[in-house]
Amino acid sequence: MTDEPLAFLPPRHDHDACIADALDRAERLCADRGERLTELRRRVLELVWSGHAPQGAYDILDALGQTRGRVAPPTVYRALDFLQAQGLIHRIESLNAFIGCPAPERRHSGHFFICRRCRTAAELDARAIDRAIDREAGRLGFVIEQRTVELLGLCAPCREAEATAAPGPTGRA
Amino acid sequence: MTDEPLAFLPPRHDHDACIADALDRAERLCADRGERLTELRRRVLELVWSGHAPQGAYDILDALGQTRGRVAPPTVYRALDFLQAQGLIHRIESLNAFIGCPAPERRHSGHFFICRRCRTAAELDARAIDRAIDREAGRLGFVIEQRTVELLGLCAPCREAEATAAPGPTGRA
DNA sequence: ATCAAGAATGTTATTTTATAACATGCTGCC
DNA sequence: GGCAGCATGTTATAAAATAACATTCTTGAT
Ligand SMILES: [Zn+2]
Ligand SMILES: [Zn+2]
Ligand SMILES: [Zn+2]
Ligand SMILES: [Zn+2]
């Protein structure tokens, strides 16, 4: 198993390898499950993986439109629904957008750290967060069916970049 | 200070008291801050507090339309923006809806447990969850600016109700 | 090969959610 | 009273998602 790190990747990595790996694993995963990763679904998955930033449905729709002739929203949404059902992508609720899952083999809901500056999103597998949530749910007698944990802010490189650009606390206008 | 419990309330409680309390505190809080809780904003807050279920912007718009003549979306969205800026309401990203905050005096982002059956949402102040998230953020060097923690599922009463209605695992079709 | 059933995609229209841009009105200060 | 700033009204549009129905593709049975 490839075991992608589930964290922020260096900004200049071999992203073609990310895409190829994601598509390969999707193929295998769907084959194993007897699901059909059609040309369209595969292409939509590829577009979701075009970067490590969440992609809006209409971004994907536009990109699809480049290669295929005019595409209508349901085409994209149905593909996204399928990919989500298979755990190949996650929906980022606070952005109305979708991002590829680096670990689709095991069903889970991720914890997303999303940089508002470079728009990179990192999916973490932080058991401690889920445990803390589960403990509260237990106290309430609440049965969790769907988790949404999304943290927006600044990643380390972008924090430094902003610190450099903006005047520090000692700086005077 | 009233110290509302920040959890699921009994289904049949004195909700008029909830509303009155929320409005009173909002008045005081805005007065203290030199902000203007206008008639419109007050009314929108009241409508958000019409229950313990998150309300959509257009639900509120429709309700407003009952008393005042035709109201346009910006009217409602602007009021919601203000209330959110003052911490009087929270936005539930996964539902595109808004809910009153039971503890607006201290700025925070809540943890929401939302029942898909009765639509009741409970805001918890679970430090342990934030700590677990903070620890991961620290490891990443990520600076969190906005938190979204929303758990959808079944509250205890609704879980029992569904268990009764549906056939158990021993039941045969 | 033919057919039928179900799955996937195409197509058209509409709904739901949210914002842009500009006009008008209110409030407090001088 | 006039003005500055904030709040609201108004019109139009953008952005995100879905409903409903038509067509095509796949697969397996005959
Ligand atoms: Zn990559
Ligand atoms: Zn960044
Ligand atoms: Zn109440
Ligand atoms: Zn419930």
Side-chain angles (χ1 to χ4, degrees), chain A residues 124-173:
Chain A
L124 260 61
D125 185 16
R127 304 289 169 93
I129 295 175
D130 279 336
R131 272 199 306 273
I133 290 171
D134 290 342
R135 212 161 315 150
E136 295 301 323
R139 285 171 9 94
L140 289 174
F142 187 93
V143 179
I144 297 174
E145 293 173 347
Q146 185 192 312
R147 293 165 196 255
T148 302
V149 178
E150 301 170 8
L151 297 316
L152 269 65
L154 278 180
C155 70
C158 287
R159 180 176 43 72
E160 291 185 29
E162 289 217 340
T164 305
T170 57
R172 278 178 177 269

Side-chain angles (χ1 to χ4, degrees), chain A residues 9 13 15 18 52:
Chain A
L9 271 68
H13 65 279
H15 188 62
C18 289
H52 292 272

Side-chain angles (χ1 to χ4, degrees), chain B residues 9 13 15 18 52:
Chain B
L9 272 68
H13 64 280
H15 188 62
C18 289
H52 292 272

Side-chain angles (χ1 to χ4, degrees), chain B residues 35-36 38 40-41 68 70 72-75 78:
Chain B
E35 298 284 351
R36 300 174 50 195
T38 62
L40 175 67
R41 291 166 174 174
R68 311 169 163 243
R70 259 288 159 268
T75 299
R78 281 189 294 228

Side-chain angles (χ1 to χ4, degrees), chain A residues 1-135:
Chain A
M1 187 180 283
T2 337
D3 252 35
E4 188 137 350
L6 290 179
F8 283 101
L9 271 68
R12 305 213 64 76
H13 65 279
D14 181 0
H15 188 62
D16 287 343
C18 289
I19 298 177
D21 181 55
L23 292 177
D24 275 3
R25 291 163 82 181
E27 291 282 10
R28 242 174 303 145
L29 184 149
C30 286
D32 288 354
R33 293 179 186 166
E35 298 284 350
R36 298 174 50 194
L37 186 63
T38 62
E39 224 358 75
L40 174 67
R41 290 166 174 174
R42 192 187 146 89
R43 177 84 182 112
V44 169
L45 180 58
E46 189 179 6
L47 289 169
V48 171
W49 270 99
S50 63
H52 292 272
Q55 300 289 306
Y58 281 74
D59 296 337
I60 291 163
L61 193 151
D62 291 346
L64 259 188
Q66 304 297 322
T67 45
R68 311 170 163 243
R70 260 287 161 271
V71 181
T75 300
V76 169
Y77 279 102
R78 281 189 292 229
L80 290 171
D81 285 348
F82 170 84
L83 296 171
Q84 228 184 323
Q86 297 305 318
L88 293 165
I89 64 175
H90 296 286
R91 180 182 161 80
I92 305 295
E93 298 290 347
S94 55
L95 297 178
N96 293 337
F98 300 85
I99 191 163
C101 176
E105 288 81 9
R106 187 177 67 81
R107 286 301 171 77
H108 63 272
S109 54
H111 313 109
F112 299 94
F113 289 76
I114 308 158
C115 181
R116 69 159 153 79
R117 190 163 173 279
C118 65
R119 323 234 1 122
T120 296
E123 177 178 350
L124 260 61
D125 185 16
R127 304 289 169 93
I129 295 175
D130 279 336
R131 272 199 306 273
I133 290 171
D134 290 342
R135 212 161 315 150

